Amino acid sequence: MVTLINKFTVTGEVDAFRRAIAEVSAYMQAQPGFISHEVYRSLSKPNIFVETAHWDHADSHKKAVQSEEFRNRVRGLAGLATPDADLYSAVESH
């Protein structure tokens, strides 16, 4: 299993960002290998959001983000937020 961790710094309207990220998330949830997804909002910096998504394998995520449908949905985030994303694997769990 791998985890996508994506920090968004929202520079546009927060409600528009939340709608756009929901569109992307709806697509991703329907993709093979998708396990779960959560979005967090910072309490001290309300323009910072962190998304986590669990996938069965890095290749499943890679295939999903290479699709034209994904690119079309991500365009809705343009001008609303700056992402900082990467895939991670757990090295320790309690």
Side-chain angles (χ1 to χ4, degrees):
M1 182 172 73
V2 297
T3 302
L4 168 78
I5 300 176
N6 195 356
K7 177 183 174 187
F8 291 96
T9 303
V10 178
T11 55
E13 181 185 303
V14 169
D15 288 340
F17 164 77
R18 292 183 72 181
R19 286 190 299 273
I21 198 71
E23 286 292 318
V24 175
S25 297
Y27 167 77
M28 296 302 264
Q29 291 173 23
Q31 301 311 299
F34 176 87
I35 298 171
S36 66
H37 174 259
E38 292 181 306
V39 176
Y40 303 89
R41 187 176 190 181
S42 172
L43 296 175
S44 63
K45 300 174 187 171
N47 68 319
I48 302 294
F49 289 77
V50 174
E51 166 190 38
T52 62
H54 299 284
W55 290 81
D56 65 352
H57 194 275
D59 288 341
S60 298
H61 179 264
K62 182 179 178 180
K63 184 176 179 181
V65 299
Q66 289 177 337
S67 73
E68 186 64 31
E69 179 67 20
F70 174 79
R71 287 191 290 272
N72 287 337
R73 291 181 186 231
V74 167
R75 284 186 191 109
L77 290 168
L80 295 175
T82 303
D84 180 11
D86 204 352
L87 289 176
Y88 294 83
S89 62
V91 294
E92 187 173 339
S93 180
H94 300 281

